[in-house]
Amino acid sequence: MKNPSILGRFLIWKVKNLKHRYFILIMSIIIGTLSGLAAVTLKNTVHYIVILFTKSGFFDIREENYLLLAYPLIGIFITVAYIRLFTGQQRLGHGITNILYAISRKSSIMKRHNVYSSIIACTFTAGFGGSVGMEAPIVGTGGAIGSNIGQLFRLNYKTTTLLVACGATGAMAAIFKAPIAALIFSLEVLMLDLTIASIIPLLMASVTGALMANLLLGEQILFYFSLKDTF
């Protein structure tokens, strides 16, 4: 009989030494960290692409320039080419819709490329000036992170669904730096059970994602403003 792999030995050790609820809490922190890193990566890549086009001499935004109309089309073309050539799909779909479909029809199983494909597609589309948001792609990425970790550790449908929600919550908390709003989003949109067993992992993933965003992006909120006049 062959010796079990590293993952197999870990699973055996987990069953013997680690209670399931503690394992879920540890996974929620790991997933929140990874989702927060994904959100920071997406925001930074879009930001630096915008800087590349507006401040490096590609064109002067202070003057009339018809390339401003062409760049969004170029970004969309690159995104479509990437999706069809590297993912084998015709389209990626909406991030939140993908999560709901995976939970209801596919036993919370999401493909591995969903971990990074939404980030790449959104980077080109939004970075080139396309009229899109970063919320849905990063939520889909977070959900895919949770789903693939659940598949890696051979977890059942209910636990994998919880990890999918943890990923989506951590990503939402990181992109907006709003952990409580992200928790409410997951409970309302993903329609999880309102129990302590689900709320605590979601809260831990949410706080972890927001902390990663604060650590790497600073403490300014997404929509920053300052008051110049007294109230």
Side-chain angles (χ1 to χ4, degrees), residues 158 161-162 165 183 186-188 190-200 202:
K158 184 177 181 180
T161 301
L162 179 58
L183 174 64
S186 292
L187 293 175
E188 289 187 348
L190 303 183
M191 295 176 290
L192 296 180
D193 296 333
L194 190 62
T195 61
I196 297 298
S198 61
I199 290 179
I200 292 180
L202 290 175

Side-chain angles (χ1 to χ4, degrees), residues 203-216:
L203 185 59
M204 295 184 70
S206 181
V207 172
T208 305
L211 286 175
M212 289 301 301
N214 282 320
L215 179 64
L216 298 175

Side-chain angles (χ1 to χ4, degrees), residues 24-54:
I24 296 302
L25 294 179
I26 295 172
M27 289 296 102
S28 67
I29 294 175
I30 294 174
I31 292 171
T33 301
L34 295 176
S35 298
L37 289 174
V40 171
T41 300
L42 177 59
K43 292 180 73 172
N44 281 336
T45 52
V46 171
H47 175 70
Y48 286 120
I49 286 180
V50 172
I51 291 178
L52 176 67
F53 282 116
T54 58

Side-chain angles (χ1 to χ4, degrees), residues 75-91:
I76 293 173
F77 175 79
I78 295 174
T79 300
V80 172
Y82 165 76
I83 292 171
R84 296 191 176 183
L85 293 176
F86 292 96
T87 67
Q89 295 181 279
Q90 295 296 315
R91 60 185 180 86

Side-chain angles (χ1 to χ4, degrees), residues 80-223:
V80 172
Y82 165 76
I83 292 171
R84 296 191 176 183
L85 293 176
F86 292 96
T87 67
Q89 295 181 279
Q90 295 296 315
R91 60 185 180 86
L92 287 179
H94 195 276
I96 299 173
T97 304
N98 289 343
I99 292 178
L100 294 175
Y101 181 78
I103 292 175
S104 61
R105 298 295 182 88
K106 301 181 69 177
S107 300
S108 295
I109 294 175
M110 301 180 71
K111 294 182 179 179
R112 188 173 301 174
H113 73 79
N114 290 126
V115 172
Y116 55 85
S117 57
S118 294
I119 294 179
I120 296 174
C122 183
T123 295
F124 285 115
T125 305
F128 278 69
S131 181
V132 296
M134 294 184 288
E135 300 80 23
I138 199 59
V139 169
T141 297
I145 291 173
S147 174
N148 281 272
I149 288 179
Q151 296 174 57
L152 177 66
F153 291 108
R154 313 291 196 272
L155 301 177
N156 58 30
Y157 165 72
K158 184 177 181 180
T159 306
T160 303
T161 301
L162 179 58
L163 296 187
V164 169
C166 286
T169 305
M172 179 69 76
I175 203 75
F176 285 117
K177 297 183 181 178
I180 301 301
L183 174 64
I184 296 173
F185 161 82
S186 292
L187 293 175
E188 289 187 348
V189 177
L190 303 183
M191 295 176 290
L192 296 180
D193 296 333
L194 190 62
T195 61
I196 297 298
S198 61
I199 290 179
I200 292 180
L202 290 175
L203 185 59
M204 295 184 70
S206 181
V207 172
T208 305
L211 286 175
M212 289 301 301
N214 282 320
L215 179 64
L216 298 175
L217 297 177
E219 296 183 356
Q220 290 184 351
I221 59 175
L222 183 62
F223 306 105

